[in-house]
Amino acid sequence: MFDKKRVNRLRWACRRGMLELDVLFMPFVEDAFNDLDEQQQLTFERLLTCDDPDLYAWFMGHQKCDDAQLRDMIKFILNRVKV
C-alpha cells in the first residue's frame, strides 16, 4: 500500500513539463488514485517514470504504447477524464 509520503511523491511526479499532461495526471491522482487496486497503483507509478514526449504521444493517440499494463492505465485515465 502507498503511504502518505509515497503518494506525495506521486503528486509531485504528476507535475510535468506539458500542460496537457498536467491536466490529465493531477486530477487523476487526487480523485482516483486511492480507488485503484495495488497493481494499478504500481502501474500508474511506473507510467509516471516515462518521458513526457512518449506520454503525450500515447495519450493523444499518436502512438501506441507497447506495454499492455501501461496501455490499460492510459485507457483508464482517458475514460475517467471523459466522464
Side-chain angles (χ1 to χ4, degrees), residues 37-72:
D37 65 36
E38 186 175 359
Q39 183 58 49
Q40 289 172 314
Q41 289 179 338
L42 291 170
T43 300
F44 181 71
E45 184 178 46
R46 192 163 57 91
L47 181 68
L48 293 177
T49 66
C50 297
D51 294 328
D52 283 359
D54 291 332
L55 290 169
Y56 180 82
W58 298 335
F59 276 96
M60 297 303 135
H62 301 301
Q63 292 178 2
K64 182 179 175 184
C65 178
D66 293 333
D67 184 296
Q69 286 182 323
L70 293 181
R71 193 169 51 244
D72 289 344

PDB file of all heavy atoms in Angstrom, residues 37-72:
ATOM      1  N   ASP A  37      -6.602  -0.538  -7.287  1.00  0.00           N
ATOM      2  CA  ASP A  37      -6.019  -1.640  -6.525  1.00  0.00           C
ATOM      3  C   ASP A  37      -4.494  -1.476  -6.538  1.00  0.00           C
ATOM      4  O   ASP A  37      -3.954  -0.617  -7.237  1.00  0.00           O
ATOM      5  CB  ASP A  37      -6.477  -3.005  -7.047  1.00  0.00           C
ATOM      6  CG  ASP A  37      -6.006  -3.323  -8.462  1.00  0.00           C
ATOM      7  OD1 ASP A  37      -4.884  -2.943  -8.852  1.00  0.00           O
ATOM      8  OD2 ASP A  37      -6.772  -3.991  -9.188  1.00  0.00           O
ATOM      9  N   GLU A  38      -3.820  -2.278  -5.758  1.00  0.00           N
ATOM     10  CA  GLU A  38      -2.370  -2.109  -5.596  1.00  0.00           C
ATOM     11  C   GLU A  38      -1.617  -2.252  -6.919  1.00  0.00           C
ATOM     12  O   GLU A  38      -0.692  -1.476  -7.200  1.00  0.00           O
ATOM     13  CB  GLU A  38      -1.821  -3.101  -4.577  1.00  0.00           C
ATOM     14  CG  GLU A  38      -0.361  -2.872  -4.258  1.00  0.00           C
ATOM     15  CD  GLU A  38       0.161  -3.778  -3.154  1.00  0.00           C
ATOM     16  OE1 GLU A  38      -0.604  -4.587  -2.607  1.00  0.00           O
ATOM     17  OE2 GLU A  38       1.351  -3.662  -2.851  1.00  0.00           O
ATOM     18  N   GLN A  39      -1.999  -3.204  -7.746  1.00  0.00           N
ATOM     19  CA  GLN A  39      -1.327  -3.391  -9.036  1.00  0.00           C
ATOM     20  C   GLN A  39      -1.526  -2.176  -9.933  1.00  0.00           C
ATOM     21  O   GLN A  39      -0.595  -1.726 -10.599  1.00  0.00           O
ATOM     22  CB  GLN A  39      -1.829  -4.662  -9.735  1.00  0.00           C
ATOM     23  CG  GLN A  39      -1.112  -4.946 -11.044  1.00  0.00           C
ATOM     24  CD  GLN A  39       0.385  -5.094 -10.871  1.00  0.00           C
ATOM     25  OE1 GLN A  39       0.856  -5.813 -10.000  1.00  0.00           O
ATOM     26  NE2 GLN A  39       1.158  -4.409 -11.693  1.00  0.00           N
ATOM     27  N   GLN A  40      -2.723  -1.627  -9.946  1.00  0.00           N
ATOM     28  CA  GLN A  40      -2.988  -0.434 -10.750  1.00  0.00           C
ATOM     29  C   GLN A  40      -2.193   0.765 -10.227  1.00  0.00           C
ATOM     30  O   GLN A  40      -1.698   1.563 -11.016  1.00  0.00           O
ATOM     31  CB  GLN A  40      -4.478  -0.108 -10.740  1.00  0.00           C
ATOM     32  CG  GLN A  40      -5.329  -1.077 -11.522  1.00  0.00           C
ATOM     33  CD  GLN A  40      -6.804  -0.813 -11.326  1.00  0.00           C
ATOM     34  OE1 GLN A  40      -7.263  -0.615 -10.196  1.00  0.00           O
ATOM     35  NE2 GLN A  40      -7.553  -0.799 -12.412  1.00  0.00           N
ATOM     36  N   GLN A  41      -2.065   0.876  -8.925  1.00  0.00           N
ATOM     37  CA  GLN A  41      -1.274   1.960  -8.355  1.00  0.00           C
ATOM     38  C   GLN A  41       0.185   1.842  -8.775  1.00  0.00           C
ATOM     39  O   GLN A  41       0.820   2.837  -9.126  1.00  0.00           O
ATOM     40  CB  GLN A  41      -1.390   1.974  -6.834  1.00  0.00           C
ATOM     41  CG  GLN A  41      -2.740   2.422  -6.345  1.00  0.00           C
ATOM     42  CD  GLN A  41      -2.859   2.403  -4.836  1.00  0.00           C
ATOM     43  OE1 GLN A  41      -2.116   1.700  -4.135  1.00  0.00           O
ATOM     44  NE2 GLN A  41      -3.810   3.168  -4.311  1.00  0.00           N
ATOM     45  N   LEU A  42       0.708   0.631  -8.755  1.00  0.00           N
ATOM     46  CA  LEU A  42       2.093   0.413  -9.182  1.00  0.00           C
ATOM     47  C   LEU A  42       2.257   0.728 -10.664  1.00  0.00           C
ATOM     48  O   LEU A  42       3.274   1.290 -11.080  1.00  0.00           O
ATOM     49  CB  LEU A  42       2.517  -1.021  -8.884  1.00  0.00           C
ATOM     50  CG  LEU A  42       2.661  -1.374  -7.405  1.00  0.00           C
ATOM     51  CD1 LEU A  42       2.849  -2.882  -7.232  1.00  0.00           C
ATOM     52  CD2 LEU A  42       3.808  -0.605  -6.776  1.00  0.00           C
ATOM     53  N   THR A  43       1.262   0.376 -11.455  1.00  0.00           N
ATOM     54  CA  THR A  43       1.316   0.665 -12.889  1.00  0.00           C
ATOM     55  C   THR A  43       1.294   2.172 -13.117  1.00  0.00           C
ATOM     56  O   THR A  43       2.045   2.687 -13.945  1.00  0.00           O
ATOM     57  CB  THR A  43       0.151  -0.016 -13.626  1.00  0.00           C
ATOM     58  OG1 THR A  43       0.237  -1.425 -13.424  1.00  0.00           O
ATOM     59  CG2 THR A  43       0.177   0.283 -15.112  1.00  0.00           C
ATOM     60  N   PHE A  44       0.441   2.886 -12.387  1.00  0.00           N
ATOM     61  CA  PHE A  44       0.398   4.338 -12.517  1.00  0.00           C
ATOM     62  C   PHE A  44       1.741   4.950 -12.118  1.00  0.00           C
ATOM     63  O   PHE A  44       2.254   5.836 -12.804  1.00  0.00           O
ATOM     64  CB  PHE A  44      -0.732   4.926 -11.670  1.00  0.00           C
ATOM     65  CG  PHE A  44      -0.831   6.414 -11.777  1.00  0.00           C
ATOM     66  CD1 PHE A  44      -1.283   7.010 -12.933  1.00  0.00           C
ATOM     67  CD2 PHE A  44      -0.461   7.220 -10.707  1.00  0.00           C
ATOM     68  CE1 PHE A  44      -1.368   8.400 -13.036  1.00  0.00           C
ATOM     69  CE2 PHE A  44      -0.545   8.604 -10.801  1.00  0.00           C
ATOM     70  CZ  PHE A  44      -0.999   9.189 -11.971  1.00  0.00           C
ATOM     71  N   GLU A  45       2.319   4.460 -11.044  1.00  0.00           N
ATOM     72  CA  GLU A  45       3.626   4.952 -10.609  1.00  0.00           C
ATOM     73  C   GLU A  45       4.668   4.730 -11.708  1.00  0.00           C
ATOM     74  O   GLU A  45       5.485   5.612 -11.991  1.00  0.00           O
ATOM     75  CB  GLU A  45       4.032   4.244  -9.324  1.00  0.00           C
ATOM     76  CG  GLU A  45       5.340   4.739  -8.732  1.00  0.00           C
ATOM     77  CD  GLU A  45       5.668   4.033  -7.427  1.00  0.00           C
ATOM     78  OE1 GLU A  45       5.556   2.789  -7.364  1.00  0.00           O
ATOM     79  OE2 GLU A  45       6.041   4.728  -6.477  1.00  0.00           O
ATOM     80  N   ARG A  46       4.611   3.580 -12.339  1.00  0.00           N
ATOM     81  CA  ARG A  46       5.551   3.266 -13.430  1.00  0.00           C
ATOM     82  C   ARG A  46       5.291   4.154 -14.639  1.00  0.00           C
ATOM     83  O   ARG A  46       6.233   4.597 -15.310  1.00  0.00           O
ATOM     84  CB  ARG A  46       5.432   1.782 -13.795  1.00  0.00           C
ATOM     85  CG  ARG A  46       6.531   1.273 -14.688  1.00  0.00           C
ATOM     86  CD  ARG A  46       6.597  -0.238 -14.673  1.00  0.00           C
ATOM     87  NE  ARG A  46       5.373  -0.881 -15.056  1.00  0.00           N
ATOM     88  CZ  ARG A  46       5.053  -1.234 -16.307  1.00  0.00           C
ATOM     89  NH1 ARG A  46       5.889  -0.971 -17.293  1.00  0.00           N
ATOM     90  NH2 ARG A  46       3.921  -1.846 -16.564  1.00  0.00           N
ATOM     91  N   LEU A  47       4.029   4.431 -14.915  1.00  0.00           N
ATOM     92  CA  LEU A  47       3.680   5.311 -16.033  1.00  0.00           C
ATOM     93  C   LEU A  47       4.334   6.679 -15.869  1.00  0.00           C
ATOM     94  O   LEU A  47       4.817   7.272 -16.835  1.00  0.00           O
ATOM     95  CB  LEU A  47       2.156   5.452 -16.122  1.00  0.00           C
ATOM     96  CG  LEU A  47       1.610   6.314 -17.244  1.00  0.00           C
ATOM     97  CD1 LEU A  47       1.863   5.663 -18.606  1.00  0.00           C
ATOM     98  CD2 LEU A  47       0.116   6.553 -17.053  1.00  0.00           C
ATOM     99  N   LEU A  48       4.363   7.168 -14.646  1.00  0.00           N
ATOM    100  CA  LEU A  48       4.931   8.484 -14.387  1.00  0.00           C
ATOM    101  C   LEU A  48       6.444   8.539 -14.587  1.00  0.00           C
ATOM    102  O   LEU A  48       7.018   9.626 -14.622  1.00  0.00           O
ATOM    103  CB  LEU A  48       4.579   8.950 -12.971  1.00  0.00           C
ATOM    104  CG  LEU A  48       3.103   9.229 -12.734  1.00  0.00           C
ATOM    105  CD1 LEU A  48       2.874   9.611 -11.276  1.00  0.00           C
ATOM    106  CD2 LEU A  48       2.568  10.292 -13.669  1.00  0.00           C
ATOM    107  N   THR A  49       7.098   7.393 -14.727  1.00  0.00           N
ATOM    108  CA  THR A  49       8.539   7.388 -14.988  1.00  0.00           C
ATOM    109  C   THR A  49       8.848   7.521 -16.481  1.00  0.00           C
ATOM    110  O   THR A  49      10.006   7.687 -16.852  1.00  0.00           O
ATOM    111  CB  THR A  49       9.211   6.105 -14.451  1.00  0.00           C
ATOM    112  OG1 THR A  49       8.732   4.980 -15.184  1.00  0.00           O
ATOM    113  CG2 THR A  49       8.951   5.930 -12.963  1.00  0.00           C
ATOM    114  N   CYS A  50       7.818   7.472 -17.308  1.00  0.00           N
ATOM    115  CA  CYS A  50       8.017   7.582 -18.754  1.00  0.00           C
ATOM    116  C   CYS A  50       8.284   9.036 -19.143  1.00  0.00           C
ATOM    117  O   CYS A  50       7.907   9.970 -18.433  1.00  0.00           O
ATOM    118  CB  CYS A  50       6.785   7.068 -19.502  1.00  0.00           C
ATOM    119  SG  CYS A  50       6.451   5.323 -19.210  1.00  0.00           S
ATOM    120  N   ASP A  51       8.923   9.195 -20.281  1.00  0.00           N
ATOM    121  CA  ASP A  51       9.254  10.533 -20.775  1.00  0.00           C
ATOM    122  C   ASP A  51       8.008  11.253 -21.276  1.00  0.00           C
ATOM    123  O   ASP A  51       7.103  10.640 -21.851  1.00  0.00           O
ATOM    124  CB  ASP A  51      10.272  10.447 -21.918  1.00  0.00           C
ATOM    125  CG  ASP A  51      11.623   9.920 -21.461  1.00  0.00           C
ATOM    126  OD1 ASP A  51      11.995  10.175 -20.300  1.00  0.00           O
ATOM    127  OD2 ASP A  51      12.309   9.271 -22.276  1.00  0.00           O
ATOM    128  N   ASP A  52       8.000  12.568 -21.091  1.00  0.00           N
ATOM    129  CA  ASP A  52       6.856  13.380 -21.496  1.00  0.00           C
ATOM    130  C   ASP A  52       6.489  13.226 -22.980  1.00  0.00           C
ATOM    131  O   ASP A  52       5.306  13.099 -23.291  1.00  0.00           O
ATOM    132  CB  ASP A  52       7.093  14.855 -21.175  1.00  0.00           C
ATOM    133  CG  ASP A  52       6.906  15.164 -19.698  1.00  0.00           C
ATOM    134  OD1 ASP A  52       6.578  14.244 -18.919  1.00  0.00           O
ATOM    135  OD2 ASP A  52       7.079  16.335 -19.316  1.00  0.00           O
ATOM    136  N   PRO A  53       7.454  13.230 -23.902  1.00  0.00           N
ATOM    137  CA  PRO A  53       7.061  13.079 -25.311  1.00  0.00           C
ATOM    138  C   PRO A  53       6.349  11.743 -25.591  1.00  0.00           C
ATOM    139  O   PRO A  53       5.394  11.705 -26.372  1.00  0.00           O
ATOM    140  CB  PRO A  53       8.386  13.166 -26.072  1.00  0.00           C
ATOM    141  CG  PRO A  53       9.279  13.957 -25.171  1.00  0.00           C
ATOM    142  CD  PRO A  53       8.885  13.543 -23.770  1.00  0.00           C
ATOM    143  N   ASP A  54       6.791  10.682 -24.928  1.00  0.00           N
ATOM    144  CA  ASP A  54       6.118   9.393 -25.089  1.00  0.00           C
ATOM    145  C   ASP A  54       4.712   9.447 -24.501  1.00  0.00           C
ATOM    146  O   ASP A  54       3.747   8.998 -25.126  1.00  0.00           O
ATOM    147  CB  ASP A  54       6.911   8.271 -24.416  1.00  0.00           C
ATOM    148  CG  ASP A  54       8.210   7.965 -25.126  1.00  0.00           C
ATOM    149  OD1 ASP A  54       8.299   8.176 -26.355  1.00  0.00           O
ATOM    150  OD2 ASP A  54       9.150   7.516 -24.441  1.00  0.00           O
ATOM    151  N   LEU A  55       4.596   9.982 -23.291  1.00  0.00           N
ATOM    152  CA  LEU A  55       3.290  10.096 -22.647  1.00  0.00           C
ATOM    153  C   LEU A  55       2.330  10.908 -23.511  1.00  0.00           C
ATOM    154  O   LEU A  55       1.179  10.525 -23.716  1.00  0.00           O
ATOM    155  CB  LEU A  55       3.427  10.739 -21.261  1.00  0.00           C
ATOM    156  CG  LEU A  55       4.114   9.895 -20.201  1.00  0.00           C
ATOM    157  CD1 LEU A  55       4.431  10.744 -18.975  1.00  0.00           C
ATOM    158  CD2 LEU A  55       3.254   8.703 -19.827  1.00  0.00           C
ATOM    159  N   TYR A  56       2.809  12.026 -24.011  1.00  0.00           N
ATOM    160  CA  TYR A  56       1.970  12.876 -24.856  1.00  0.00           C
ATOM    161  C   TYR A  56       1.491  12.099 -26.084  1.00  0.00           C
ATOM    162  O   TYR A  56       0.300  12.135 -26.418  1.00  0.00           O
ATOM    163  CB  TYR A  56       2.747  14.125 -25.267  1.00  0.00           C
ATOM    164  CG  TYR A  56       1.941  15.052 -26.132  1.00  0.00           C
ATOM    165  CD1 TYR A  56       1.039  15.940 -25.566  1.00  0.00           C
ATOM    166  CD2 TYR A  56       2.078  15.040 -27.519  1.00  0.00           C
ATOM    167  CE1 TYR A  56       0.283  16.795 -26.362  1.00  0.00           C
ATOM    168  CE2 TYR A  56       1.332  15.882 -28.319  1.00  0.00           C
ATOM    169  CZ  TYR A  56       0.435  16.753 -27.730  1.00  0.00           C
ATOM    170  OH  TYR A  56      -0.317  17.583 -28.516  1.00  0.00           O
ATOM    171  N   ALA A  57       2.398  11.404 -26.741  1.00  0.00           N
ATOM    172  CA  ALA A  57       2.043  10.649 -27.948  1.00  0.00           C
ATOM    173  C   ALA A  57       1.028   9.551 -27.626  1.00  0.00           C
ATOM    174  O   ALA A  57       0.088   9.330 -28.390  1.00  0.00           O
ATOM    175  CB  ALA A  57       3.298  10.057 -28.579  1.00  0.00           C
ATOM    176  N   TRP A  58       1.189   8.884 -26.503  1.00  0.00           N
ATOM    177  CA  TRP A  58       0.259   7.815 -26.122  1.00  0.00           C
ATOM    178  C   TRP A  58      -1.112   8.374 -25.773  1.00  0.00           C
ATOM    179  O   TRP A  58      -2.129   7.852 -26.221  1.00  0.00           O
ATOM    180  CB  TRP A  58       0.802   7.018 -24.950  1.00  0.00           C
ATOM    181  CG  TRP A  58       2.089   6.308 -25.217  1.00  0.00           C
ATOM    182  CD1 TRP A  58       2.579   5.894 -26.428  1.00  0.00           C
ATOM    183  CD2 TRP A  58       3.071   5.932 -24.258  1.00  0.00           C
ATOM    184  NE1 TRP A  58       3.796   5.290 -26.272  1.00  0.00           N
ATOM    185  CE2 TRP A  58       4.126   5.298 -24.952  1.00  0.00           C
ATOM    186  CE3 TRP A  58       3.178   6.071 -22.878  1.00  0.00           C
ATOM    187  CZ2 TRP A  58       5.245   4.791 -24.306  1.00  0.00           C
ATOM    188  CZ3 TRP A  58       4.302   5.576 -22.237  1.00  0.00           C
ATOM    189  CH2 TRP A  58       5.321   4.936 -22.945  1.00  0.00           C
ATOM    190  N   PHE A  59      -1.141   9.416 -24.969  1.00  0.00           N
ATOM    191  CA  PHE A  59      -2.419   9.965 -24.529  1.00  0.00           C
ATOM    192  C   PHE A  59      -3.168  10.668 -25.658  1.00  0.00           C
ATOM    193  O   PHE A  59      -4.391  10.684 -25.661  1.00  0.00           O
ATOM    194  CB  PHE A  59      -2.232  10.917 -23.335  1.00  0.00           C
ATOM    195  CG  PHE A  59      -2.175  10.208 -22.030  1.00  0.00           C
ATOM    196  CD1 PHE A  59      -0.961   9.868 -21.449  1.00  0.00           C
ATOM    197  CD2 PHE A  59      -3.335   9.853 -21.360  1.00  0.00           C
ATOM    198  CE1 PHE A  59      -0.894   9.197 -20.240  1.00  0.00           C
ATOM    199  CE2 PHE A  59      -3.290   9.184 -20.151  1.00  0.00           C
ATOM    200  CZ  PHE A  59      -2.068   8.853 -19.586  1.00  0.00           C
ATOM    201  N   MET A  60      -2.450  11.236 -26.594  1.00  0.00           N
ATOM    202  CA  MET A  60      -3.098  11.921 -27.713  1.00  0.00           C
ATOM    203  C   MET A  60      -3.418  10.961 -28.867  1.00  0.00           C
ATOM    204  O   MET A  60      -4.032  11.359 -29.848  1.00  0.00           O
ATOM    205  CB  MET A  60      -2.216  13.069 -28.232  1.00  0.00           C
ATOM    206  CG  MET A  60      -1.969  14.155 -27.211  1.00  0.00           C
ATOM    207  SD  MET A  60      -3.513  14.863 -26.581  1.00  0.00           S
ATOM    208  CE  MET A  60      -3.193  14.916 -24.839  1.00  0.00           C
ATOM    209  N   GLY A  61      -2.983   9.713 -28.738  1.00  0.00           N
ATOM    210  CA  GLY A  61      -3.288   8.711 -29.749  1.00  0.00           C
ATOM    211  C   GLY A  61      -2.385   8.744 -30.969  1.00  0.00           C
ATOM    212  O   GLY A  61      -2.690   8.121 -31.987  1.00  0.00           O
ATOM    213  N   HIS A  62      -1.247   9.421 -30.863  1.00  0.00           N
ATOM    214  CA  HIS A  62      -0.317   9.492 -31.979  1.00  0.00           C
ATOM    215  C   HIS A  62       0.520   8.221 -32.106  1.00  0.00           C
ATOM    216  O   HIS A  62       0.980   7.895 -33.198  1.00  0.00           O
ATOM    217  CB  HIS A  62       0.617  10.694 -31.844  1.00  0.00           C
ATOM    218  CG  HIS A  62      -0.105  12.000 -31.791  1.00  0.00           C
ATOM    219  ND1 HIS A  62      -0.932  12.452 -32.798  1.00  0.00           N
ATOM    220  CD2 HIS A  62      -0.150  12.964 -30.840  1.00  0.00           C
ATOM    221  CE1 HIS A  62      -1.430  13.621 -32.479  1.00  0.00           C
ATOM    222  NE2 HIS A  62      -0.984  13.958 -31.286  1.00  0.00           N
ATOM    223  N   GLN A  63       0.722   7.550 -30.985  1.00  0.00           N
ATOM    224  CA  GLN A  63       1.482   6.297 -30.955  1.00  0.00           C
ATOM    225  C   GLN A  63       0.788   5.342 -30.007  1.00  0.00           C
ATOM    226  O   GLN A  63       0.028   5.754 -29.123  1.00  0.00           O
ATOM    227  CB  GLN A  63       2.917   6.528 -30.458  1.00  0.00           C
ATOM    228  CG  GLN A  63       3.785   7.317 -31.373  1.00  0.00           C
ATOM    229  CD  GLN A  63       5.175   7.538 -30.775  1.00  0.00           C
ATOM    230  OE1 GLN A  63       5.488   7.065 -29.688  1.00  0.00           O
ATOM    231  NE2 GLN A  63       6.003   8.269 -31.482  1.00  0.00           N
ATOM    232  N   LYS A  64       1.088   4.058 -30.179  1.00  0.00           N
ATOM    233  CA  LYS A  64       0.544   3.034 -29.288  1.00  0.00           C
ATOM    234  C   LYS A  64       1.655   2.582 -28.333  1.00  0.00           C
ATOM    235  O   LYS A  64       2.766   2.279 -28.763  1.00  0.00           O
ATOM    236  CB  LYS A  64       0.044   1.849 -30.103  1.00  0.00           C
ATOM    237  CG  LYS A  64      -0.576   0.759 -29.295  1.00  0.00           C
ATOM    238  CD  LYS A  64      -1.066  -0.369 -30.193  1.00  0.00           C
ATOM    239  CE  LYS A  64      -1.569  -1.517 -29.341  1.00  0.00           C
ATOM    240  NZ  LYS A  64      -1.949  -2.658 -30.172  1.00  0.00           N
ATOM    241  N   CYS A  65       1.339   2.551 -27.059  1.00  0.00           N
ATOM    242  CA  CYS A  65       2.290   2.076 -26.054  1.00  0.00           C
ATOM    243  C   CYS A  65       2.437   0.561 -26.200  1.00  0.00           C
ATOM    244  O   CYS A  65       1.440  -0.156 -26.314  1.00  0.00           O
ATOM    245  CB  CYS A  65       1.778   2.443 -24.659  1.00  0.00           C
ATOM    246  SG  CYS A  65       2.833   1.868 -23.325  1.00  0.00           S
ATOM    247  N   ASP A  66       3.665   0.075 -26.191  1.00  0.00           N
ATOM    248  CA  ASP A  66       3.915  -1.354 -26.356  1.00  0.00           C
ATOM    249  C   ASP A  66       3.619  -2.161 -25.098  1.00  0.00           C
ATOM    250  O   ASP A  66       3.394  -3.363 -25.174  1.00  0.00           O
ATOM    251  CB  ASP A  66       5.371  -1.601 -26.774  1.00  0.00           C
ATOM    252  CG  ASP A  66       5.657  -1.059 -28.169  1.00  0.00           C
ATOM    253  OD1 ASP A  66       4.716  -0.976 -28.986  1.00  0.00           O
ATOM    254  OD2 ASP A  66       6.817  -0.704 -28.436  1.00  0.00           O
ATOM    255  N   ASP A  67       3.637  -1.517 -23.947  1.00  0.00           N
ATOM    256  CA  ASP A  67       3.418  -2.200 -22.671  1.00  0.00           C
ATOM    257  C   ASP A  67       1.914  -2.293 -22.391  1.00  0.00           C
ATOM    258  O   ASP A  67       1.227  -1.275 -22.279  1.00  0.00           O
ATOM    259  CB  ASP A  67       4.121  -1.405 -21.562  1.00  0.00           C
ATOM    260  CG  ASP A  67       4.042  -2.080 -20.215  1.00  0.00           C
ATOM    261  OD1 ASP A  67       2.915  -2.231 -19.691  1.00  0.00           O
ATOM    262  OD2 ASP A  67       5.101  -2.435 -19.669  1.00  0.00           O
ATOM    263  N   ALA A  68       1.403  -3.506 -22.273  1.00  0.00           N
ATOM    264  CA  ALA A  68      -0.043  -3.720 -22.107  1.00  0.00           C
ATOM    265  C   ALA A  68      -0.573  -3.104 -20.816  1.00  0.00           C
ATOM    266  O   ALA A  68      -1.665  -2.523 -20.814  1.00  0.00           O
ATOM    267  CB  ALA A  68      -0.357  -5.210 -22.153  1.00  0.00           C
ATOM    268  N   GLN A  69       0.161  -3.207 -19.729  1.00  0.00           N
ATOM    269  CA  GLN A  69      -0.301  -2.628 -18.460  1.00  0.00           C
ATOM    270  C   GLN A  69      -0.379  -1.110 -18.544  1.00  0.00           C
ATOM    271  O   GLN A  69      -1.352  -0.510 -18.092  1.00  0.00           O
ATOM    272  CB  GLN A  69       0.616  -3.038 -17.302  1.00  0.00           C
ATOM    273  CG  GLN A  69       0.444  -4.457 -16.860  1.00  0.00           C
ATOM    274  CD  GLN A  69       1.349  -4.774 -15.676  1.00  0.00           C
ATOM    275  OE1 GLN A  69       2.482  -4.300 -15.587  1.00  0.00           O
ATOM    276  NE2 GLN A  69       0.838  -5.586 -14.764  1.00  0.00           N
ATOM    277  N   LEU A  70       0.643  -0.503 -19.116  1.00  0.00           N
ATOM    278  CA  LEU A  70       0.635   0.949 -19.267  1.00  0.00           C
ATOM    279  C   LEU A  70      -0.480   1.376 -20.214  1.00  0.00           C
ATOM    280  O   LEU A  70      -1.169   2.367 -19.968  1.00  0.00           O
ATOM    281  CB  LEU A  70       1.982   1.459 -19.772  1.00  0.00           C
ATOM    282  CG  LEU A  70       3.178   1.308 -18.826  1.00  0.00           C
ATOM    283  CD1 LEU A  70       4.435   1.886 -19.464  1.00  0.00           C
ATOM    284  CD2 LEU A  70       2.915   1.953 -17.480  1.00  0.00           C
ATOM    285  N   ARG A  71      -0.665   0.622 -21.285  1.00  0.00           N
ATOM    286  CA  ARG A  71      -1.722   0.918 -22.249  1.00  0.00           C
ATOM    287  C   ARG A  71      -3.096   0.882 -21.573  1.00  0.00           C
ATOM    288  O   ARG A  71      -3.934   1.751 -21.795  1.00  0.00           O
ATOM    289  CB  ARG A  71      -1.644  -0.060 -23.417  1.00  0.00           C
ATOM    290  CG  ARG A  71      -2.460   0.313 -24.615  1.00  0.00           C
ATOM    291  CD  ARG A  71      -2.160  -0.535 -25.839  1.00  0.00           C
ATOM    292  NE  ARG A  71      -2.194  -1.959 -25.590  1.00  0.00           N
ATOM    293  CZ  ARG A  71      -1.148  -2.784 -25.689  1.00  0.00           C
ATOM    294  NH1 ARG A  71       0.033  -2.316 -26.049  1.00  0.00           N
ATOM    295  NH2 ARG A  71      -1.274  -4.073 -25.450  1.00  0.00           N
ATOM    296  N   ASP A  72      -3.319  -0.122 -20.725  1.00  0.00           N
ATOM    297  CA  ASP A  72      -4.586  -0.218 -19.994  1.00  0.00           C
ATOM    298  C   ASP A  72      -4.766   0.956 -19.035  1.00  0.00           C
ATOM    299  O   ASP A  72      -5.875   1.486 -18.891  1.00  0.00           O
ATOM    300  CB  ASP A  72      -4.672  -1.534 -19.222  1.00  0.00           C
ATOM    301  CG  ASP A  72      -4.851  -2.739 -20.125  1.00  0.00           C
ATOM    302  OD1 ASP A  72      -5.218  -2.561 -21.311  1.00  0.00           O
ATOM    303  OD2 ASP A  72      -4.620  -3.866 -19.645  1.00  0.00           O
TER     304      ASP A  72
END
